[in-house]
Amino acid sequence: MKVVVIGAGIGGVALAKRLTRFSTDIQVTVIEPNVSHDFAPSFLWLLDGSRSAAQISRPTATIAEWGVELISERVTAVDTEARMVTTTGPTVGYDELVVAPGAEMTFETIPGLDSASSFYSKNAAAGLSEKLLGFEGGDVAIVVPSMPYKCPAAPYESAFLIDHFLRKRGVDARVRIHTIEPQPMPVAGPVVGGRVASMLKQRGIGFHPNQKLVEVDAAAGTLRFEGSDDRFDLLIAIPAHRPPAFVRDSSLAGPSGWIPVDSRSLRAADGVHAIGDVTAIQLANGKPLPKAGVFAHEQAHVVAGNLIATAKGAEPRARFAGHGSCFLETGSGKAGIAKGDFYAEPDPRVKMFPPSRLGHFGKVLFERRWLKQFG
Ligand SMILES: Cc1cc2nc3c(=O)[nH]c(=O)nc-3n(C[C@H](O)[C@H](O)[C@H](O)COP(=O)(O)OP(=O)(O)OC[C@H]3O[C@@H](n4cnc5c(N)ncnc54)[C@H](O)[C@@H]3O)c2cc1C
């Protein structure tokens, strides 16, 4: 059986690893244009200098050593009728396709927003780290202009880490978050959101929910929201996330452009599964399952198990349970953990464990285990 995987991010790599490790009946082809595999959860550690860019990246080509055929091209179209994938290089046929290209990110949605710094890519985070090192004080505004975005905890983690880093440097800075969300991490419910909001308050970090950003004037250092204005000396923004163009243009796209899948099997169409950030999974409370690596990873294992079973002629029985956890780094070598059952009804059941050294060590282990598989 020939399985083609689009994308070698967290989902694509976890899937390729499983398939090559546990099956000899499957020929795996991965299509991925990026030569560097960057571990996104560690971008936050570039900000405070805990990691260098080289420490959190590995060559994508390593996966070819697992027995994967790696095509270093970009997918431009998918034809699910003909079971063919068009790329910037060859056209590739498949028996089973797994779509895992993550999300595309852009600052073009709001006038002036492209002047903002960010930490949503390795290069952006490395650039922001330089700015923080040279920052002489003033207002640091972290803006969440739209949803959905990857890792609901990341803007809050960045606020804690940046605040801690600038205090340690002895810089007089005021860190603020302006978000379109009604509370931090809304999918986790009001209790977890309230806990994070009170942690921000204790640290003197401003929190401004329900703010819709309309325009940025970089020269004047002003942010225009619907109904109010604010100022900044350093602006950091979370980019808008959208499905990759080839997904939006394909028969796989749902009304939002993301790919609707069966919430348990991740099946998107005949011979097609989708995993990770590109999927749209609606929870019992109507909110979408957050875009997070822990889910992409677990979904990859479910799909791999089912493809291995199918290749053997067995019943594909693996099901995604919707369980996951997420770290919230707070500085001083501590992290909180939000952990729970996101498929619980009528709302996700998520518990927040307060910041501890153990929490931070959990994230270090998570990083170590991920990068170790590249040798
Ligand atoms: C700052 C930050 C912190 C985060 N922290 C955490 C955390 O602590 N815990 C957690 O669980 N998650 C975290 N995440 C989220 C996590 O990184 C993503 O949810 C996860 O990477 C999604 O996996 P994926 O495989 O769906 O997509 P990705 O990992 O984004 O991989 C997609 C791959 O597809 C490739 N691709 C894109 N388009 C094409 C195309 N046309 N053709 C071929 N290939 C293509 C891309 O180059 C990429 O390599 C964080 C994210 C960020 C940005």
Side-chain angles (χ1 to χ4, degrees):
M1 185 165 92
K2 179 167 180 181
V3 174
V4 170
V5 184
I6 303 178
I10 291 188
V13 163
L15 183 83
K17 183 83 183 178
R18 272 283 156 119
L19 292 180
T20 50
R21 191 164 168 201
F22 293 111
S23 176
T24 47
D25 307 320
I26 297 179
Q27 179 199 336
V28 185
T29 298
V30 176
I31 310 174
E32 167 62 61
N34 282 347
V35 293
S36 171
H37 174 90
D38 307 325
F39 188 57
S42 301
F43 293 166
L44 287 145
W45 285 332
L46 297 183
L47 302 184
D48 66 1
S50 308
R51 298 284 185 282
S52 68
Q55 283 174 313
I56 62 162
S57 298
R58 295 292 181 270
T60 306
T62 308
I63 67 172
E65 294 166 14
W66 305 342
V68 168
E69 180 199 18
L70 176 63
I71 299 179
S72 303
E73 303 285 351
R74 179 169 292 281
V75 170
T76 52
V78 169
D79 182 342
T80 54
E81 292 284 309
R83 299 203 177 201
M84 298 294 271
V85 175
T86 310
T87 76
T88 39
T91 298
V92 186
Y94 63 82
D95 298 313
E96 292 284 340
L97 178 67
V98 184
V99 187
E104 208 172 81
M105 293 180 278
T106 176
F107 280 118
E108 286 158 15
T109 46
I110 293 172
L113 192 62
D114 55 0
S115 61
S117 295
S118 186
F119 55 92
Y120 262 59
S121 70
K122 184 178 68 178
N123 289 344
L128 175 55
S129 158
E130 292 291 314
K131 281 194 185 161
L132 290 169
L133 265 177
F135 190 61
E136 288 176 354
D139 292 303
V140 179
I142 300 171
V143 182
V144 183
S146 57
M147 291 172 79
Y149 62 90
K150 315 184 206 198
C151 190
Y156 302 95
E157 270 189 296
S158 77
F160 287 123
L161 290 175
I162 290 169
D163 175 71
H164 182 252
F165 177 71
L166 293 176
R167 277 177 202 271
K168 229 168 72 181
R169 273 193 56 222
V171 172
D172 179 17
R174 292 162 298 281
V175 179
R176 282 195 316 271
I177 298 180
H178 300 271
T179 178
I180 191 150
E181 301 160 301
Q183 60 159 81
M185 299 155 63
V187 69
V191 175
V192 171
R195 291 279 294 278
V196 177
S198 71
M199 281 159 62
L200 291 167
K201 195 168 175 192
Q202 271 169 22
R203 286 277 290 271
I205 296 171
F207 178 60
H208 304 273
N210 295 314
Q211 285 203 308
K212 186 167 170 29
L213 184 66
V214 180
E215 192 176 9
V216 176
D217 183 339
T222 54
L223 295 166
R224 192 151 69 75
F225 297 98
E226 260 177 21
S228 67
D229 285 359
D230 220 317
R231 63 169 313 284
F232 64 85
D233 296 294
L234 176 59
L235 174 64
I236 301 166
I238 310 304
H241 288 42
R242 63 187 178 202
F246 83 86
V247 170
R248 294 197 306 266
D249 296 343
S250 76
S251 60
L252 295 168
S256 63
W258 305 102
I259 303 178
V261 290
D262 179 272
S263 63
R264 298 290 182 180
S265 69
L266 292 317
R267 185 182 175 280
D270 240 12
V272 185
H273 291 83
I275 56 173
D277 290 353
V278 78
T279 60
I281 297 178
Q282 192 175 319
L283 303 178
N285 63 4
K287 294 194 169 82
L289 181 74
K291 300 195 181 304
V294 284
F295 296 132
H297 194 195
E298 187 51 33
Q299 291 169 354
H301 287 177
V302 168
V303 172
N306 286 338
L307 291 176
I308 291 168
T310 304
K312 284 197 176 111
E315 189 70 22
R317 290 187 194 281
R319 294 290 176 265
F320 176 56
H323 293 170
S325 61
C326 134
F327 297 100
L328 184 68
E329 285 277 310
T330 54
S332 313
K334 291 187 179 177
I337 302 176
K339 188 174 180 182
D341 174 0
F342 286 78
Y343 280 1
E345 296 180 13
D347 287 298
R349 265 192 302 275
V350 183
K351 199 169 168 207
M352 177 89 192
F353 296 88
S356 66
R357 292 203 180 280
L358 199 64
H360 171 73
F361 191 59
K363 182 160 173 176
V364 171
L365 269 183
F366 171 49
E367 177 200 53
R368 203 175 285 171
R369 283 177 62 184
W370 183 260
L371 294 175
K372 197 169 164 233
Q373 63 187 334
F374 290 84

